Amino acid sequence: MYYGTLVALHGVLDRHPWTEHITCDHHGSELFDLAMSRAEAYGWYSTGGWTYPYQGWGEARIVVQDPGRWADCKAGGDWTPDGKVRELAWMSADIPLDVREPRLPILHIARILSDAVNRLGRVRFTGLHATLPVEELVGDASDALAAMRRWFALADPSRSFPVSVTVADGPTLPEKAAAVRDAMRERLGDVADVEVATGEVDLSGLADVHGEHGYNKSRERGVLRLACRTREWSPDVAVWLVETVGDALRAAGHAERAIVTASLASPTTG
């Protein structure tokens, strides 16, 4: 048994001419190969980790290799060379129920996808979205989030990047906006600011993917909108915000699958 998650990176890719022979279709086979080579280099779990040792007729025991964080991944991406924001790379992952942890492998997947697309060309990263099976998360993630807060506190405090964060799914979600905001503030400390957006937020950093992979920028069902400010902008920062939202949703009593986005709201200076 397992539960699933998905991570997608959005941005603009300017391909190196010497990588043009590498393609990515709806199966994403070559992107998958690039990402898995990075996962193996980091020593992280990949699809090769599942084993089914024979123990007699009709018996098979699943053995999940250490660290056993995810399996059975699929991947794809949109590398259309038109200078527009695209869903550059996405990867789904199945997490075995017996290795449930307070944190999903969002950072792991975002890192290997980022490594893969940056190997192909110059990338302007603009956003990330992830599906979070909030109801399946277990345990207390406060120590991990505190460590991430200390990490990002080392960024230049004079810089400020506007980031739009949205949470979709669940008709009662907007009613929990204040509770989610307060829980996020507690977890982010003074390293990042967050407010409930009173109007529309700038989602230009996200591709309009029309519902593929769980997300549709134009969808208007149970959407919570937050306006954040961070000291830096990167896939790691986006992951930090997404993970903080997930833990804040649990704290606010939200126990449904959620789709969370974090995207750069406007060009930055400094």
Side-chain angles (χ1 to χ4, degrees):
M1 296 293 293
Y2 60 85
Y3 60 103
T5 188
L6 181 143
V7 181
L9 301 185
H10 298 240
V12 180
L13 172 62
D14 181 12
R15 293 282 296 273
H16 296 313
W18 56 88
T19 68
E20 291 178 353
H21 65 285
I22 299 177
T23 61
C24 185
D25 57 20
H26 65 284
H27 297 295
S29 57
E30 293 191 83
L31 172 67
F32 178 84
D33 291 342
L34 286 170
M36 285 300 96
S37 69
R38 297 309 288 160
E40 292 170 2
Y42 286 127
W44 291 333
Y45 193 52
S46 69
T47 55
W50 290 92
T51 57
Y52 299 85
Y54 178 69
Q55 294 186 333
W57 179 257
E59 298 181 9
R61 181 169 58 90
I62 299 176
V63 176
V64 181
Q65 295 178 355
D66 183 49
R69 294 304 306 273
W70 75 80
D72 292 344
C73 306
K74 297 181 180 179
D78 181 355
W79 301 342
T80 304
D82 56 5
K84 296 180 180 179
V85 172
R86 296 285 179 175
E87 188 185 46
L88 298 179
W90 61 267
M91 177 174 282
S92 62
D94 294 335
I95 297 94
L97 288 177
D98 58 350
V99 295
R100 288 186 300 174
E101 298 183 11
R103 298 176 65 192
L104 294 165
I106 305 298
L107 180 60
H108 304 65
I109 298 172
R111 171 58 60 189
I112 61 177
L113 291 178
S114 179
D115 283 0
V117 293
N118 275 280
R119 195 64 180 164
L120 297 171
R122 291 180 294 274
V123 177
R124 178 166 63 88
F125 170 70
T126 59
L128 177 148
H129 86 263
T131 59
L132 307 181
V134 180
E135 72 280 6
E136 297 290 354
L137 299 181
V138 297
D140 183 1
S142 58
D143 288 345
L145 290 173
M148 295 176 77
R149 181 172 64 248
R150 291 192 296 271
W151 175 265
F152 291 112
L154 296 174
D156 183 351
S158 69
R159 304 191 74 185
S160 180
F161 293 78
V163 181
S164 298
V165 173
T166 69
V167 189
D169 272 5
T172 64
L173 192 55
E175 300 173 7
K176 301 174 182 177
V180 172
R181 177 203 59 201
D182 292 346
M184 287 186 66
R185 286 176 172 172
E186 179 181 350
R187 288 153 178 77
L188 295 172
D190 60 357
V191 183
D193 299 325
V194 58
E195 296 285 352
V196 177
T198 56
E200 294 297 316
V201 295
D202 181 358
L203 299 180
S204 58
L206 297 171
D208 195 351
V209 291
H210 305 293
E212 291 91 339
H213 317 129
Y215 173 70
N216 186 342
K217 186 167 68 173
S218 63
R219 183 176 293 149
E220 298 290 338
R221 54 186 181 89
V223 177
L224 169 62
R225 298 173 178 82
L226 302 164
C228 301
R229 283 197 170 270
T230 60
R231 299 179 182 180
E232 60 183 281
W233 174 246
S234 67
D236 286 0
V237 170
V239 169
W240 177 43
L241 292 174
V242 167
E243 287 202 65
T244 301
V245 169
D247 202 59
L249 287 170
R250 291 183 64 243
H254 185 79
E256 301 177 36
R257 171 179 170 272
I259 302 166
V260 184
T261 78
S263 58
L264 194 61
S266 62
T268 60
T269 59

